[in-house]
Amino acid sequence: GLSMRKLGAKLGATAPTLYWHVSSKDELLDLAFDEVIRDLPDMRAVRGDGWQADVRSALDALRAMMLRHRWYPTLYATRPSIGPNALRFWGGLLDVLARAGFADAELDNAFCMLSDHVVGSTAIQLSYSAWLASSPVDIETTQAYVRDAVRPNPVHARYIDGYIAVTPAAKRRERRYEYALNCMLDAL
């Protein structure tokens, strides 16, 4: 929903004035995309409690940043993450994995598996939260419908009634993120 005109109005400037500073809306998005990653740790300088703890620290920081900047996963899906701050962060994560002994295709696979998990799971979490916030859906009515619809499948019904219905959504999302990340790190 960003436009140079809207941004100019918010800043008390005209859109043409903004173009003195950036050549296009895409350049502005690229700059913002790279700026929010600035505060993530430089993993090349981190020597913590082992490579798994260092990877977890980096990925947890990435996830927290995306939860603060809800637009980040959308840009991640539409443009390369190649600004100087992004290259520092992603390169540092690659360095940690390389110090752990990963190389070549194995390094690429481990790096992409881990980063895709964080970006993907966070994007899903944010899109679900946005849907709940913007939709006039009555969540209780939706839950009642789902419980009734899955009744013919006892496993699905137990899952919905015994876990989903009694565990807060935020707690489930956190558990899912942690479980998958733990499984990946253990497997690696």
Side-chain angles (χ1 to χ4, degrees):
L2 175 68
S3 76
M4 296 301 271
R5 185 179 49 68
K6 287 181 198 173
L7 179 61
K10 185 145 183 118
L11 297 173
T14 63
T17 302
L18 296 177
Y19 287 110
W20 280 96
H21 303 282
V22 293
S23 63
S24 67
K25 176 181 163 183
D26 280 337
E27 181 184 356
L28 178 65
L29 291 173
D30 288 339
L31 291 168
F33 186 51
D34 193 57
E35 182 60 28
V36 297
I37 210 167
R38 175 186 301 276
D39 294 332
L40 296 182
D42 184 347
M43 299 310 296
R44 290 172 292 207
V46 172
R47 297 285 196 273
D49 296 326
W51 72 269
Q52 290 175 319
D54 292 347
V55 167
R56 174 178 294 285
S57 172
L59 297 179
D60 287 349
L62 175 64
R63 181 171 184 252
M65 180 275 291
M66 288 189 289
L67 291 172
R68 286 190 310 275
H69 301 285
R70 304 171 77 78
W71 48 267
Y72 185 90
T74 301
L75 288 185
Y76 188 89
T78 62
R79 58 195 356 94
S81 185
I82 57 173
N85 295 318
L87 292 175
R88 176 195 50 80
F89 175 75
W90 296 117
L93 183 56
L94 283 166
D95 284 355
V96 171
L97 291 168
R99 286 194 311 262
F102 296 95
D104 304 325
E106 191 176 53
L107 175 63
D108 178 61
N109 292 334
F111 173 79
C112 289
M113 177 178 67
L114 292 164
S115 60
D116 289 356
H117 164 62
V118 176
V119 174
S121 66
T122 306
I124 291 167
Q125 177 179 344
L126 291 170
S127 66
Y128 181 75
S129 296
W131 172 74
L132 284 177
S134 68
S135 176
V137 68
D138 174 4
I139 195 68
E140 286 83 22
T141 302
T142 301
Q143 288 172 339
Y145 161 77
V146 170
R147 277 195 299 274
D148 189 52
V150 301
R151 209 168 303 290
N153 181 334
V155 172
H156 202 167
R158 274 193 307 277
Y159 168 69
I160 296 296
D161 290 336
Y163 182 70
I164 298 296
V166 298
T167 308
K171 188 172 196 169
R172 290 193 318 266
R173 285 189 295 272
E174 188 64 29
R175 283 180 179 168
R176 290 172 188 156
Y177 166 78
E178 290 290 328
Y179 180 82
L181 186 55
N182 287 337
C183 287
M184 286 182 240
L185 289 172
D186 287 348
L188 291 171

